[in-house]
Amino acid sequence: MTDSRYTVASGLLFLSAALHLVPLVLAFSTQALPMLIAIVLWSLLGLGLRRGMRWVAWIAFLAMALVGMPASLSSAMALFGVVSWAFWAIFAIDLAAAVILFMILWAAKAPKPA
């Protein structure tokens, strides 16, 4: 059972998880554990969204807004070079995913036909 409303958001979570590979490879000594955790969690949330699970959408929204965006923003401002650019890209993708999930989760319910 899939829900097409979550397709874009799940794709953004998969893209964010893939971009976490850049800091993992280039800054392994300082970023290894947080990047591995983010890759696994974002991928699992993406899979849940792909299956249309609304409760996963709530968790993904909170994860993007309260964990992903602040962590990537602080890392982007603290580091330099390609790793910094990767964190800026992660921040932008997490922001886009949070906005899309917000619009889906708080959308007005369509009235039922009579």
Side-chain angles (χ1 to χ4, degrees):
M1 164 170 67
T2 61
D3 190 341
S4 63
R5 295 179 299 165
Y6 300 118
T7 302
V8 173
S10 70
L12 289 171
L13 263 70
F14 289 132
L15 181 58
S16 180
L19 277 175
H20 280 79
L21 291 170
V22 174
L24 176 66
V25 171
L26 296 179
F28 185 80
S29 62
T30 59
Q31 301 292 326
L33 187 59
M35 294 304 102
L36 287 173
I37 292 170
I39 290 167
V40 170
L41 290 178
W42 275 208
S43 297
L44 290 174
L45 290 172
L47 288 173
L49 287 176
R50 183 75 57 174
R51 293 190 61 167
M53 299 176 177
R54 187 169 177 84
W55 63 273
V56 172
W58 282 100
I59 294 171
F61 170 74
L62 292 173
M64 296 296 106
L66 300 178
V67 178
M69 289 173 20
S72 60
L73 183 61
S74 68
S75 295
M77 295 185 346
L79 299 171
F80 299 100
V82 175
V83 177
S84 176
W85 285 104
F87 279 118
W88 281 112
I90 291 168
F91 173 78
I93 292 167
D94 289 354
L95 175 63
V99 168
I100 289 170
L101 289 169
F102 178 86
M103 292 181 344
I104 292 169
L105 293 170
W106 275 275
K109 300 280 187 207
K112 293 183 181 179

